[in-house]
Amino acid sequence: MTERTCLSIVLAAGEGTRMRSAKPKVLHEVAGLSMVGHVLRAVAAAGGTAAAVVVGPDRDDVAAEARRVKADATIHVQTERLGTAHAVLHAEADIARGFDDVIVAFGDTPLVTPQTFGLLRAALASGAAVAVLGFEAADPLGYGRLVMEGGSLAAIVEEKEASEAQRAITLCNGGLMALAGGTALALLKRIGKANAKGEYYLTDAVALARADGLATAVVLAPEAEVRGVNDRVQLAEVEAIAQGRLRETAMRGGVTMVAPETVFLAFDTVLGRDVTLEPHVVFGPGVTIADDVTIRAYSHLAGCVVDQGAILGPFARIRPKSRIGAKVHIGNFVEVNRTTIAAKAEANHLAYLGDATIGEGTNIGAGTITCNFDGADKHPTIIGRDVFVGSNSTLVAPLAIGDEVLIAAGSTITLDARDGALVFGRAKQAGLPGRGAEMIRANKARRAARKAREQGKG
Ligand code: UD1
Ligand code: MG
């Protein structure tokens, strides 16, 4: 089975008008990845070695996203939308390269799993010329109906062509199909458009195969899996299903979630064993969390690696290109951006660490800010090991602070500091004995006088 070659053709030429969006439908995201990206990943995971994507005219953005996810995907522009078979035939040159299996998938149907694509391929491996993904529809309206004869699939009849008896069939076409490479082109090219919509229906491949005496097969999937997205309500429904799957996989893999329904994962979130996620933790794409990490409530992470035993949050924000070392503590209202923090360092309260490198065991005091941006460019801040950065320090980058440096609280640091130094960057304190009490009492007296005046008027 694995040695069979496979081309997947992803149809993504739909306009998606019901999304009411400036963005093409298939670029809308589910769990942090475009819908077309999900489809390309799933077919690749099912052994799809090659991919062709059919896009609408002037859709460089869809083409670029397809290539981002699968670099060698071929792109075909369908200028006129004349039906699903017409769309598939845009990839004729790819089909003609000769693959054992040809999978047709829809770019707006992102929940089909690699396992299901695998079952379609298995049906081809067992001799089917056409394998269709079917499901039992709660409401079959609008779907192609699977017409079975003697236990095998005889035809797919689209809603508009269906007789009353056929409309009563609840076994429906999920839209996806797999075709044996050897006969695919011959079948596709014979599909005509003499039907109610005047479109080239991919589904006609079934009856044509039967007429040639070729075998057809149906693979069954749960309805949730074949769910397509036409508007933003359906997008949210699909997101909920995707999140449910990701949470379940995480928990089965050894992650504790106190309130899983409040945790939002990305398609590629990697979570180690004995990770604890408190409520309302949100993951953007590209996060890898090692074992024994605790992420406390209301934290947001994206594009970062967190090493074993770190504790983040509550209310921590870890932004892309960051690495949080083992046993590091990041506390509330700390933002970490393009920053590497070595093991056992701590930033427990109210800090911004951007473009920084922080050494092992260093303590970043409350209110510390790396001033990484000068209005035009970003600059690095390098802090050594076992440094103590006093509270409310302003570190103006570019800056290099050695090991075991102590920065006095309230400092504005603009000059590098050598290993072991104590540095102050604040105005020298002055004091006038008795003057504070004098001023406080004077203020009190002024307030009292004002109140008396106002009462006199009223
Ligand atoms: C299709 C199936 C139907 C199935 C349903 C499941 C056909 C003829 N019918 O109907 O049996 O129950 O899906 O959702 O295949 N597309 C293009 N170019 C085209 C036409 C379509 O790229 O010229 C793309 C669309 O963007 C979409 C997909 O193909 O992603 C399916 O097209 P759509 O018009 O939604 O087909 P349905 O009428 O829903
Ligand atoms: Mg549709």
Side-chain angles (χ1 to χ4, degrees):
M1 172 67 211
T2 45
E3 64 274 10
R4 289 174 68 92
T5 58
C6 176
L7 164 71
S8 41
I9 302 172
V10 181
L11 306 191
E15 282 156 25
T17 30
R18 278 179 281 165
M19 296 297 282
R20 298 194 183 281
S21 175
K23 194 157 76 169
K25 176 163 74 173
V26 296
L27 293 191
H28 283 263
E29 290 183 358
V30 171
L33 177 68
S34 65
M35 291 197 275
V36 71
H38 278 278
V39 177
L40 284 166
R41 276 172 62 96
V43 288
T49 37
V53 182
V54 181
V55 304
D58 303 317
R59 283 277 70 116
D60 293 347
D61 44 5
V62 177
E65 171 65 2
R67 289 213 183 90
R68 190 184 67 83
V69 177
K70 184 143 174 52
D72 61 353
T74 58
I75 308 295
H76 305 277
V77 179
Q78 186 190 25
T79 36
E80 264 187 305
R81 278 180 100 250
L82 300 180
T84 42
H86 178 257
V88 170
L89 271 173
H90 279 70
E92 176 174 354
D94 291 309
I95 302 171
R97 275 157 62 201
F99 291 88
D100 298 310
D101 303 340
V102 176
I103 292 177
V104 179
F106 295 167
D108 62 359
T109 307
L111 293 174
V112 183
T113 61
Q115 290 73 16
T116 297
F117 284 119
L119 289 174
L120 286 170
R121 295 192 64 198
L124 300 184
S126 345
V130 181
V132 169
L133 187 62
F135 69 101
E136 276 295 337
D139 175 10
L141 186 75
Y143 290 113
R145 310 297 205 281
L146 303 192
V147 179
M148 306 297 288
E149 269 173 30
S152 72
L153 178 64
I156 302 178
V157 183
E158 291 302 305
E159 173 86 26
K160 288 212 163 135
E161 275 75 37
S163 65
E164 206 163 319
Q166 286 167 335
R167 282 201 188 130
I169 297 173
T170 52
L171 181 60
C172 289
N173 175 24
L176 315 179
M177 199 176 273
L179 303 154
T183 46
L185 273 182
L187 291 175
L188 290 168
K189 285 184 169 177
R190 271 155 60 207
I191 293 174
K193 54 170 182 166
N195 53 50
K197 279 173 138 182
E199 282 187 6
Y200 296 91
Y201 289 165
L202 176 63
T203 44
D204 285 353
V206 172
L208 289 169
R210 287 279 287 212
D212 287 355
L214 298 171
T216 57
V218 179
V219 165
L220 282 179
E223 181 161 7
E225 208 177 315
V226 299
R227 196 176 290 222
V229 172
N230 294 305
D231 58 33
R232 300 202 203 215
V233 174
Q234 291 172 339
L235 182 67
E237 288 165 1
V238 161
E239 177 76 39
I241 295 169
Q243 289 298 336
R245 284 183 186 174
L246 291 166
R247 291 170 192 141
E248 183 175 342
T249 306
M251 290 186 281
R252 295 204 185 283
V255 172
T256 294
M257 295 190 203
V258 181
E261 67 283 5
T262 68
V263 171
F264 291 84
L265 298 162
F267 70 102
D268 61 350
T269 306
V270 177
L271 300 167
R273 275 175 62 146
D274 292 313
V275 165
T276 298
L277 303 178
E278 289 188 0
H280 301 284
V281 173
V282 176
F283 291 89
V287 176
T288 299
I289 307 288
D291 296 349
D292 307 318
V293 168
T294 295
I295 304 180
R296 302 186 61 196
Y298 297 101
S299 293
H300 190 288
L301 297 90
C304 60
V305 174
V306 180
D307 293 333
Q308 188 163 6
I311 300 174
L312 312 184
F315 299 98
R317 181 169 184 209
I318 315 296
R319 294 175 60 190
K321 298 189 179 155
S322 294
R323 175 147 200 156
I324 310 297
K327 297 192 180 158
V328 162
H329 289 188
I330 300 291
N332 38 264
F333 306 109
V334 173
E335 178 176 345
V336 177
N337 192 17
R338 294 185 303 271
T339 286
T340 296
I341 304 180
K344 294 183 199 151
E346 296 189 9
N348 279 320
H349 339 261
L350 303 158
Y352 173 67
L353 302 171
D355 297 297
T357 304
I358 293 163
E360 190 165 332
T362 284
N363 187 302
I364 304 290
T368 297
I369 305 292
T370 54
C371 307
N372 60 326
F373 185 50
D374 62 12
D377 295 303
K378 303 272 167 73
H379 302 283
T381 299
I382 295 162
I383 301 178
R385 66 162 176 85
D386 295 313
V387 169
F388 183 92
V389 179
S391 293
N392 205 30
S393 288
T394 303
L395 308 176
V396 182
L399 195 63
I401 305 292
D403 296 336
E404 295 184 290
V405 170
L406 196 154
I407 297 176
S411 289
T412 297
I413 300 294
T414 55
L415 304 173
D416 293 354
R418 295 217 182 142
D419 291 354
L422 164 64
V423 288
F424 286 82
R426 63 189 187 208
K428 202 162 190 176
Q429 187 171 329
L432 296 176
R435 179 64 180 140
E438 235 171 61
M439 289 172 73
I440 288 166
R441 286 173 201 158
N443 282 340
K444 229 184 225 169
R446 280 165 58 206
R447 284 202 301 273
R450 187 174 59 213
K451 209 169 181 187
R453 270 200 315 277
E454 282 165 2
Q455 273 165 0
K457 274 186 207 153

